[in-house]
Amino acid sequence: MAEESEHVTEITPQSRQSYPDIKRWYKVVFAGDPGVGKTSLLLRFIKDIFREQAPTIGGDANAFPKVITLENGAKVGLELWDTVGLERHHSVTDNYYRNADAVLFCYAIDEKMSFEDISEWWRDVHSRLGDTFNDDIVKFLVGTKKDLYSANSDDQVGQEKVEKEREKRKVAAFIETSSKENININELFEMVAQEVHKRGSSKEPTIRVDSITSTTSSQKKKSCCN
C-alpha cells in the first residue's frame, strides 16, 4: 500500500473562501526545542496520522486551516503554523510570531532539558512581540510524548513542576499529549479555540505563504518526534 501523503492545504485567500462562515481567523504558533513533536501534533490533529519520523510540513509556506466547533455552536477558525524546522538552525523569523493570537510552548515529557529550555523560548518570543506578548496572546504549556513517560526515569518532567511553571508564567493551561497514542490532541486544540475565541482579539492576522524565509530552508531535515 502506498504511504499516505502528509500534504496539508496551506492557507491562501482561496482556501479561506472554503470557510465562508468564518469571519475571524486566529493565528496559532509553536515554540520549543527541535524534535519535541510540534509537527507531530499538527499531523495528528489535521490529518489524524502519525509517523515515527515526522517530516516538518511544507517549505517556506507553513500555515494550515482548521475549523473547530465549540460546545456552544460557535465555529472558530485556527491558522496553525508549523516552524518548518527553522528552530533547528536558529532561523525562526519575526514574521512567524507576528500577529499571533496563541503560542504553544512545547516540551517533551521524557526530556527535562526541553522543559528547562522553555524559559529561553519564552524570552525569545517575548522579545519579538513586546508588550503584546503579555497583554494579548494566550499561552499554553504542552507536554508531548506522554506515551514515553516513566515514573522511574530521572529525565521525566513531572506535573508538579509544570504546575509551578504555569503559575509563574500565568499561562492559560498546560496539558500532556501523545501524538503517537492520540492522547489529548483534540482536547488541546479545543482548549486553544475556546481561549482565543473568548479573548476575541481585535487584531487582524496577516497570512502570507511566503512570509517565512530562511537561508537554510532548502535543507529539509526530518525530526523524530512523538
Side-chain angles (χ1 to χ4, degrees):
M1 180 182 296
E3 186 174 276
E4 181 178 357
S5 170
E6 283 145 350
H7 172 75
V8 181
T9 303
E10 299 160 2
I11 289 181
T12 64
Q14 291 74 27
S15 67
R16 282 187 176 189
Q17 292 174 7
S18 301
Y19 305 95
D21 294 337
I22 305 302
K23 307 302 182 185
R24 171 73 167 88
W25 288 88
Y26 296 92
K27 181 177 178 179
V28 180
V29 299
F30 298 77
D33 285 356
V36 298
K38 300 183 293 295
T39 296
S40 286
L41 285 173
L42 282 173
L43 283 175
R44 176 59 84 177
F45 181 57
I46 297 172
K47 296 281 287 182
D48 195 22
I49 59 175
F50 173 78
R51 298 283 186 264
E52 289 289 350
Q53 298 287 334
T56 294
I57 306 172
D60 290 334
N62 68 331
F64 311 100
K66 188 73 172 181
V67 175
I68 295 178
T69 302
L70 303 181
E71 289 184 359
N72 64 4
K75 293 183 181 297
V76 180
L78 299 182
E79 295 170 341
L80 304 169
W81 285 58
D82 187 37
T83 61
V84 298
L86 298 181
E87 75 280 21
R88 186 178 300 279
H89 309 286
H90 306 285
S91 301
V92 179
T93 68
D94 291 347
N95 281 334
Y96 176 74
Y97 297 112
R98 185 172 294 132
N99 295 318
D101 295 287
V103 182
L104 276 56
F105 290 92
C106 302
Y107 65 93
I109 292 173
D110 65 329
E111 298 178 26
K112 277 186 179 178
M113 183 60 70
S114 68
F115 180 75
E116 294 169 1
D117 286 347
I118 289 295
S119 295
E120 182 177 343
W121 287 104
W122 190 278
R123 287 192 297 269
D124 180 61
V125 179
H126 191 182
S127 68
R128 294 170 186 268
L129 295 178
D131 291 340
T132 60
F133 180 75
N134 291 327
D135 301 333
D136 300 328
I137 295 176
V138 182
K139 280 89 67 178
F140 295 85
L141 284 172
V142 182
T144 63
K145 308 187 182 185
K146 184 176 176 64
D147 53 289
L148 298 182
Y149 178 80
S150 172
N152 297 322
S153 173
D154 293 333
D155 202 31
Q156 305 298 309
V157 182
Q159 289 188 358
E160 182 177 348
K161 188 172 185 178
V162 183
E163 275 288 1
K164 290 180 180 179
E165 190 73 6
R166 183 187 69 82
E167 293 175 4
K168 172 185 174 182
R169 301 200 180 276
K170 296 181 173 59
V171 301
F174 96 86
I175 187 170
E176 295 182 338
T177 67
S178 169
S179 299
K180 183 176 183 177
E181 302 294 336
N182 198 11
I183 299 173
N184 287 338
I185 302 299
N186 289 338
E187 289 81 356
L188 164 63
F189 290 101
E190 286 169 4
M191 277 200 313
V192 173
Q194 288 171 356
E195 288 296 327
V196 295
H197 182 67
K198 180 171 63 177
R199 186 161 299 199
S201 172
S202 62
K203 294 182 300 176
E204 275 298 326
T206 302
I207 301 299
R208 292 176 49 201
V209 296
D210 61 345
S211 62
I212 295 183
T213 58
S214 168
T215 57
T216 59
S217 62
S218 61
Q219 303 173 7
K220 297 180 181 178
K221 296 188 177 182
K222 294 184 177 181
S223 60
C224 179
C225 39
N226 291 353

